[in-house]
Amino acid sequence: MAALRQYLGVWRIPGAPMLLLTGIIGRLGIGMTPLALLLVVEQVTGRYSLAAVAGGIYAVAGAALSPVAGRIADRIGPSPV
């Protein structure tokens, strides 16, 4: 119960609920994109095996290109607010 009281204390900080909700909404695409890809490919082809291959290619491409995207972001730096 003590852990729940700590979470409640954080929730009561001004601005924290809005930050939490916008963070959840902003990250929905991380989980929804692979699912949408799977469902679209299955609907078009009618085969889950091809949908799984497409999902695997998406995952491998993301793993291969994420370091490159990170390097580019480090070189460019953050945008001014």
Side-chain angles (χ1 to χ4, degrees):
M1 290 301 281
L4 291 177
R5 280 190 227 123
Q6 290 176 342
Y7 281 112
L8 185 59
V10 171
W11 186 258
R12 289 182 178 158
I13 295 172
M18 181 60 76
L19 181 64
L20 175 66
L21 293 176
T22 55
I24 290 171
I25 291 170
R27 290 179 179 92
L28 277 176
I30 295 170
M32 297 302 292
T33 302
L35 177 62
L37 176 67
L38 179 82
L39 294 175
V40 166
V41 173
E42 189 278 327
Q43 185 177 16
V44 170
T45 64
R47 297 175 65 189
Y48 278 106
S49 59
L50 291 177
V53 169
I57 291 171
Y58 176 80
V60 169
L65 295 177
S66 291
V68 175
R71 286 188 198 116
I72 292 171
D74 286 342
R75 284 189 186 145
I76 295 172
S79 62
V81 178

